[in-house]
Amino acid sequence: MVDFAGGDIMKRLSMWILGLALPLVANNQETFLRANKLYKAGDYQQSLVAYESMQMQGSAVWLNIGNCLYQLEQYPQALVAYKRALKGATPSQYRASVVYQHAVLQKLGKKVELSWWDTIVLAIRARTGGISVCVLQLLFLLPWFILSWLIIRSTRGFWYKILIMVVGIFVLFNGMVLYDTYSIRTRQVAIVFNKEQLSVFSGPDERYHVLGTLAYAQEVVLEDAIAGWYKIRYDNKVGWVPDYVLLCV
């Protein structure tokens, strides 16, 4: 009989990793329950401290952190937490994050109006938020290969053309979802937490011309960073602001 020592080593390593992970999970669960209890008791500051001390912070934890910050009237920080909750969120968690973000914006006096198209996009994003980009790529490529094979056959039957059209629509839809998901996950955004009106400069220094201003809790897209300054995109404009006035998501 041949003794595979490598298998025994892998088994011991797996047991060692599991032995380290179980106490961590148990500790996080205990901290999570304690933080929930503090939140229900109205002790939002201590509840926030407990949530932030957790070493494993998933979507549920970030939603609760956002709720604590909302109750403490730290609205930009709450927006950041709610946006961090979107990563890997379940459909219900995704919808909750969007609702909470709208509540913060309304609290700040900002109008939130969703068109029918925005509603559809949010529903799709809620369903695909927890799916990896690799899986979405496979869901795009598989019907693409099927469509290519159907076109190559070039059969002229009516139902065959209907099938090609249906598969083509499916490919187009999956391509749009893949592009939207990839652009969202690769885009880095930040929230303005400076309550005073913030000037946007044409270069990374206050000696440059002022291009415009940013509002409190406004969302911007980060394009670049250099020597204490962020290059941002906002309202279809590009400019520079000091990095200490932004909270990165």
Side-chain angles (χ1 to χ4, degrees):
M1 179 180 294
V2 180
D3 182 19
F4 292 94
D8 186 56
I9 292 174
M10 289 302 296
K11 183 178 179 180
R12 291 181 180 179
L13 181 60
S14 299
M15 293 299 295
W16 179 73
I17 294 174
L18 183 61
L20 291 177
L22 286 176
L24 180 61
V25 172
N27 181 62
N28 272 270
Q29 182 67 17
E30 180 65 26
T31 305
F32 186 78
L33 294 175
R34 180 166 57 87
N36 287 349
K37 187 176 180 179
L38 289 168
Y39 183 87
K40 291 179 181 179
D43 193 348
Y44 305 119
Q45 186 61 55
Q46 290 303 314
S47 177
L48 176 62
V49 172
Y51 284 127
E52 290 181 335
S53 69
M54 296 178 63
Q55 296 180 344
M56 299 170 62
Q57 295 175 335
S59 295
V61 176
W62 281 117
L63 285 174
N64 291 348
I65 288 176
N67 290 339
C68 290
L69 292 167
Y70 177 84
Q71 295 295 342
L72 294 170
E73 299 183 356
Q74 299 179 27
Y75 299 124
Q77 293 87 337
L79 283 175
V80 170
Y82 291 143
K83 289 182 179 296
R84 288 177 179 175
L86 294 174
K87 186 177 181 180
T90 63
S92 60
Q93 290 171 339
Y94 195 101
R95 287 191 292 269
S97 174
V98 173
V99 170
Y100 293 156
Q101 289 180 56
H102 290 174
V104 172
L105 295 176
Q106 290 174 352
K107 193 75 173 180
L108 294 170
K110 300 177 183 292
K111 292 184 178 180
V112 180
E113 296 180 358
L114 293 178
S115 64
W116 63 270
W117 176 252
D118 293 329
T119 304
I120 293 175
V121 170
L122 286 175
I124 295 173
R125 287 176 179 174
R127 292 294 178 183
T128 59
I131 304 177
S132 68
V133 174
C134 291
V135 173
L136 291 175
Q137 287 175 332
L138 290 175
L139 292 176
F140 170 73
L141 290 174
L142 181 59
W144 174 260
F145 286 132
I146 295 174
L147 178 63
S148 301
W149 179 75
L150 291 173
I151 293 175
I152 290 173
R153 288 192 60 188
S154 66
T155 302
R156 297 184 178 181
F158 173 76
W159 292 110
Y160 190 83
K161 293 180 179 179
I162 293 296
L163 178 61
I164 290 178
M165 184 173 65
V166 171
V167 176
I169 293 174
F170 191 66
V171 170
L172 180 62
F173 174 78
N174 283 0
M176 293 174 61
V177 171
L178 176 60
Y179 175 79
D180 182 68
T181 303
Y182 180 78
S183 62
I184 288 177
R185 296 184 186 180
T186 55
R187 181 180 60 189
Q188 188 173 3
V189 300
I191 304 295
V192 178
F193 74 95
N194 188 26
K195 290 188 176 182
E196 299 178 358
Q197 195 174 52
L198 179 64
S199 297
V200 181
F201 300 92
S202 59
D205 196 288
E206 293 183 356
R207 293 173 295 181
Y208 286 89
H209 294 294
V210 175
L211 300 177
T213 57
L214 297 177
Y216 180 57
Q218 183 174 344
E219 178 181 327
V220 298
V221 179
L222 301 183
E223 298 282 348
D224 197 2
I226 181 173
W229 288 77
Y230 279 132
K231 184 180 182 181
I232 63 168
R233 177 161 45 88
Y234 71 105
D235 299 334
N236 296 321
K237 301 176 183 178
V238 177
W240 293 81
V241 294
D243 58 3
Y244 60 82
V245 299
L246 298 179
L247 292 173
C248 298
V249 175

